């Protein structure tokens, strides 16, 4: 009900009386009053004037299902959005929704994650009201071996979304971190649900540090937020959320048709790992120069002796100039 009221107030450029609202929505004035209270609790500033009615005042951008759906230009992604004021991890929510046969493109988004999950069992810091913590469900019919490429799709989508919405020069650190000025602004956790030969579903989890002012000490050297990189000016989380989905969808659709070749040029252009000296952290760690990506999206690293090694996945750290 409250979102119906909100729509009317957003469309009106003046006050709307409680009785006019009640009539147009077919409910009592008391129901309207209750709806207005709920909207206020969600952070909307609504003025009430005797004999005139209610008017929506400009306020800090609220973050809820209605706002996230409003104006979202996608075909499949985000048709169903589950919004959690607080949850453990949106990846876990999407896993559960997938098990209940939620349709492809279902999105879970949270204001705060109490058990945000990063790669390699790491904890992902996801404080209240500052980031875009979201996951969505995909049901591709390709074999599981192709699934890692979805993290590349997501990395490119986030990178493009940040550039488009903020003008900040985000770059991709292969395979799927997004960096600004060498610090991480987004992490991606892609999880597979299925058997060895067949995917049942894929969960793409994306965390974008949007409006944090400060990070815990352990992260200060390696993490940043869009707000920090934007000179302290806040960035709209709604725009980042929508733009990531809007960028992801066409890249994903082309990828389903034509594979990595459909976006490899664009990915390479935005990938800051290529050309850099890197440490490859695996069973037998080694160093070298990242020289290219294979047609399957793997990283080619040239060792000092000229030998080229294909790195499938895993942790690659870009060596700083001074220790290169
Ligand atoms: C990483 O870089 O280690 C991956 C971090 C992924 C974080 C996102 S936030 C939304 C989604 N839910 C989670 O629990 N994790 C991902």
């Amino acid at each position: 009900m409250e979102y119906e009221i909100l729509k009317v107030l957003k469309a009106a450029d003046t006050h709307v009386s409680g009785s006019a609202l009640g009539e147009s929505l077919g409910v009592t004035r008391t129901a309207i009053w209750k709806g207005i209270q709920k909207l206020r609790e969600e952070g909307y500033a609504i003025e009430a004037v005797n004999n005139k009615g209610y008017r929506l005042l400009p306020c800090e951008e609220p973050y809820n299902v209605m706002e996230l759906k409003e104006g979202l230009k996608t075909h499949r992604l985000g048709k169903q959005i589950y919004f959690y004021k607080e949850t453990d991890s949106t990846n876990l929510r999407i896993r559960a929704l997938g098990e209940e046969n939620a349709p492809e493109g279902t999105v879970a988004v949270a204001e705060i994650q109490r058990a945000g999950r990063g790669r390699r069992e790491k904890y992902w810091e996801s404080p209240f009201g500052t980031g875009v913590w979201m996951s969505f469900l995909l049901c591709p019919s390709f074999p599981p071996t192709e699934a890692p490429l979805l993290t590349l799709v997501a990395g490119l989508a986030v990178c493009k979304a940040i550039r488009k919405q903020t003008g900040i020069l985000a770059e991709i650190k292969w395979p799927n971190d997004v960096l600004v000025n060498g610090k991480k602004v987004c992490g991606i956790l892609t999880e597979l649900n299925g058997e060895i030969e067949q995917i049942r579903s894929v969960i793409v989890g994306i965390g974008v540090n949007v409006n944090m002012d400060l990070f815990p000490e352990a992260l200060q050297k390696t993490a940043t937020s869009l707000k920090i990189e934007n000179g302290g000016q806040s960035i709209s989380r709604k725009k980042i959320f929508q733009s990531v989905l809007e960028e992801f969808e066409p890249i994903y659709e082309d990828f389903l048709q034509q594979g990595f070749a459909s976006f490899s040029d664009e990915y390479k252009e935005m990938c800051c790992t290529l050309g850099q000296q890197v440490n490859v952290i695996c069973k037998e760690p080694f160093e070298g120069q990242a020289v290219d990506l294979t047609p399957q999206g793997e990283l080619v690293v040239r060792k000092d002796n000229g030998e080229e090694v294909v790195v499938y996945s895993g942790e690659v750290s870009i060596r700083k100039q001074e220790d290169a």
Side-chain angles (χ1 to χ4, degrees), residues 208-263:
V208 188
N209 301 332
V210 182
N211 285 326
M212 286 96 152
D213 292 302
L214 203 65
F215 285 86
E217 210 172 321
L219 294 177
Q220 276 173 16
K221 281 201 175 126
T222 53
T224 189
S225 74
L226 294 177
K227 181 177 177 185
I228 293 171
E229 300 301 324
N230 196 36
Q233 290 271 50
S234 293
I235 302 278
S236 159
R237 286 188 296 155
K238 169 179 172 174
K239 283 195 180 145
I240 297 293
F241 171 88
Q242 294 188 334
S243 190
V244 167
L245 295 183
E246 287 165 6
E247 295 293 341
F248 186 94
E249 196 169 80
I251 307 173
Y252 176 60
E253 281 166 4
D254 289 351
F255 167 66
L256 290 179
Q257 302 296 319
Q258 297 151 47
F260 180 50
S262 64
F263 70 93

Side-chain angles (χ1 to χ4, degrees), residues 89-91 113 116-119 124 134-135 184 187-188 205-207:
S89 151
T90 53
N91 269 35
Q113 294 185 120
R117 299 163 68 220
R119 277 176 290 151
W124 180 261
M134 67 146 122
S135 307
K184 184 158 165 172
I188 296 161
I206 298 176

Side-chain angles (χ1 to χ4, degrees), residues 245-307:
L245 295 183
E246 287 165 6
E247 295 293 341
F248 186 94
E249 196 169 80
I251 307 173
Y252 176 60
E253 281 166 4
D254 289 351
F255 167 66
L256 290 179
Q257 302 296 319
Q258 297 151 47
F260 180 50
S262 64
F263 70 93
S264 59
D265 285 350
E266 203 170 17
Y267 184 93
K268 285 182 196 178
E269 235 170 73
M270 298 191 189
C271 178
C272 60
T273 315
L274 293 176
Q276 300 284 337
Q277 284 297 122
V278 294
N279 291 324
V280 179
I281 302 142
C282 54
K283 249 189 185 166
E284 288 174 26
F286 63 95
E287 305 167 8
Q289 190 187 22
V291 288
D292 202 2
L293 295 177
T294 70
Q296 287 74 40
E298 302 132 340
L299 188 69
V300 183
V301 179
R302 188 181 298 141
K303 290 182 173 174
D304 291 345
N305 64 7
E307 185 195 345

